[in-house]
Amino acid sequence: AIAALCQYHHHHHRGVWPGHRSWRTSGSSSGSGSGSGSPGGLGVAAATHTSPPLPPSVMNLQHFGGGLPSSEGVSDIPILLEHLLAGSVEERRRAVFALRAFVTEHPEQQVVVTEAGAITPLILMLREETPSLREEAARALWSLVRTHKEVNLSNQKAIADAGAIAPLVHLLSDEASRVRVVAAAVLNDLATDNSANQVAVARAGAINPLIALLKDEEAPALVMAAGLLKSLAASNGVPHDAAVVLALGDAVAPLVALLQADTLLAQEQAASTLGAFAAYSPEMQASIARAGAIPPLVERLRGDMMQGTAALALRNLAANSHNNQNAIVQAGAIPALVKLLEDGMPGVREEAARALWKLASRNRDHQAIVLETGAAVPLVALLEGSDHAEASLALLNIARLE
């Protein structure tokens, strides 16, 4: 498809991207600048000339299937970029879809496509009034920032520096649910292990729409929103930004409320996110406990699902916090955790041992309770399995009891 576009470009068109001198923004003096499918006043570029229609090879694309363009098509990317903001809505949608498909199939070409000038027109498309265009533009940016296995750090920085974060945060409240989910996914990858982008996302106002997404009944929205919130709570060893601290603090009460949600998925995502928040700072630990998170988390240890997630959250809440240790023990966590050592799945047993380790740390009363509850025998049994490290640490804490 891209080769056909290139051939059509050579025979019928002389426009070239980058430079895009053929475009004007909606704020220019030459008029309102509202092109087809572009709301006025939002800075979306509009064409001052009419681009030729896409060739039949692209107009007939419903999906690429096994016929994705080869990596040799990278030299033909400029013609696709020129069509992103010109022509009909359908032509532009097909152009951005073709670009996204190419990058998805050939992730090794991400930086090449970025250097060809793809980021700016894709960011402009995020403000289109046609939902399918907004979604495709966000998906294309996602394909540029992530390979199948990892985040492309070069493009992560380039996309953020080009101004993508603010419009993506705006899309978290989009009328179309698919757009909201994809926007959260892109922001999550932009924020992963990048403290500057984490600050930018929080300051752009992402927290409140993310909390709203957590209340969404659709699984993709829940998972993506929780993932982004956890990325924002990853400190990466750098000093905490005041704006991020404030924004995350505002999210605690709604997250604790979600522990009582009607769906198990919402409860688990809330518990997982609170666990990440608890590791953020001692102040966040105290805030989560004050908001009432401990009793429902302990109750989940006794359920049939999400025991490991609840144990991890309680472990992070207990770490180096005498007050939280006491509250967790008083809520009945130790007998439930000891039972998980015996009956839980392997990953759950590991989290239970870690939680007991934190509860018994530097606390002789808790060490005695753990011993009296019968934790020593299952912990010794775990020494023979893959969970031996956590079992050893828990036993060491118990052994400090004189």
Side-chain angles (χ1 to χ4, degrees):
I2 293 178
L5 276 171
C6 183
Q7 183 178 10
Y8 187 84
H9 167 70
H10 289 320
H11 287 291
H12 297 282
H13 194 56
R14 296 181 179 177
V16 177
W17 192 284
H20 55 81
R21 287 186 292 270
S22 298
W23 308 97
R24 67 170 185 269
T25 62
S26 60
S28 67
S29 59
S30 56
S32 65
S34 297
S36 174
S38 302
L42 291 178
V44 179
T48 60
H49 70 282
T50 302
S51 290
L54 291 170
S57 58
V58 173
M59 289 303 294
N60 292 333
L61 284 176
Q62 297 299 322
H63 56 81
F64 282 100
L68 286 161
S70 70
S71 59
E72 296 176 357
V74 68
S75 61
D76 306 327
I77 293 299
I79 185 63
L80 284 178
L81 300 184
E82 187 155 358
H83 277 281
L84 290 183
L85 295 173
S88 68
V89 168
E90 183 61 15
E91 288 173 334
R92 291 150 69 197
R93 187 187 69 80
R94 290 177 185 274
V96 71
F97 179 81
L99 181 68
R100 174 168 67 87
F102 174 79
V103 177
T104 300
E105 181 70 6
H106 306 289
E108 72 279 2
Q109 303 290 357
Q110 286 176 325
V111 173
V112 175
V113 173
T114 300
E115 292 176 348
I119 292 177
T120 297
L122 289 173
I123 292 175
L124 291 172
M125 288 187 74
L126 296 175
R127 301 181 184 274
E128 291 287 349
E129 65 181 16
T130 304
S132 63
L133 287 180
R134 297 195 298 271
E135 179 185 350
E136 285 296 337
R139 288 185 181 277
L141 287 170
W142 194 13
S143 70
L144 287 174
V145 78
R146 167 166 288 279
T147 66
H148 298 301
K149 297 181 179 180
E150 60 187 9
V151 170
N152 183 315
L153 298 180
S154 176
N155 280 355
Q156 183 191 57
K157 182 178 186 303
I159 291 170
D161 290 348
I165 288 177
L168 284 168
V169 169
H170 180 75
L171 293 184
L172 293 175
S173 302
D174 197 89
E175 62 185 15
S177 61
R178 290 167 62 92
V179 176
R180 296 194 297 267
V181 171
V182 177
V186 183
L187 286 168
N188 187 31
D189 282 344
L190 290 177
T192 298
D193 298 327
N194 189 309
S195 57
N197 287 355
Q198 291 165 5
V199 171
V201 171
R203 287 184 171 180
I207 300 299
N208 287 336
L210 287 173
I211 294 300
L213 281 178
L214 283 175
K215 300 176 183 178
D216 197 313
E217 294 182 355
E218 296 185 8
L222 283 168
V223 173
M224 290 300 181
L228 179 50
L229 283 168
K230 285 182 278 190
S231 291
L232 296 180
S235 61
N236 300 318
V238 300
H240 293 158
D241 180 82
V244 177
V245 172
L246 182 61
L248 293 178
D250 290 342
V252 168
L255 283 168
V256 172
L258 282 175
L259 292 174
Q260 308 288 354
D262 293 334
T263 66
L264 183 61
L265 180 60
Q267 294 175 25
E268 183 161 22
Q269 292 301 320
S272 176
T273 306
L274 287 168
F277 277 28
Y280 185 74
S281 69
E283 293 77 16
M284 192 68 72
Q285 276 182 318
S287 176
I288 293 170
R290 286 196 301 270
I294 290 174
L297 286 172
V298 171
E299 183 61 31
R300 276 300 166 193
L301 294 176
R302 307 185 183 101
D304 296 327
M305 304 291 290
M306 64 178 281
Q307 299 104 320
T309 304
L312 185 151
L314 290 167
R315 182 243 298 179
N316 287 347
L317 284 170
N320 301 313
S321 173
H322 186 75
N323 289 337
N324 282 1
Q325 288 175 348
N326 287 338
I328 292 168
V329 171
Q330 290 170 8
I334 289 179
L337 289 168
V338 172
K339 183 174 176 58
L340 290 177
L341 290 178
E342 301 170 328
D343 302 336
M345 298 294 290
V348 174
R349 292 199 298 266
E350 182 181 62
E351 290 299 342
R354 288 174 172 172
L356 286 170
W357 163 35
K358 292 297 183 182
L359 289 173
S361 179
R362 298 184 179 86
N363 193 312
R364 299 181 64 183
D365 291 338
H366 295 173
Q367 291 164 8
I369 296 173
V370 170
L371 189 62
E372 292 168 0
T373 310
V377 172
L379 284 171
V380 169
L382 287 181
L383 289 175
E384 301 177 357
S386 60
D387 306 323
H388 55 83
E390 286 70 28
S392 298
L393 290 167
L395 282 168
L396 284 173
N397 275 330
I398 295 173
R400 289 172 181 165
L401 181 62
E402 297 177 358

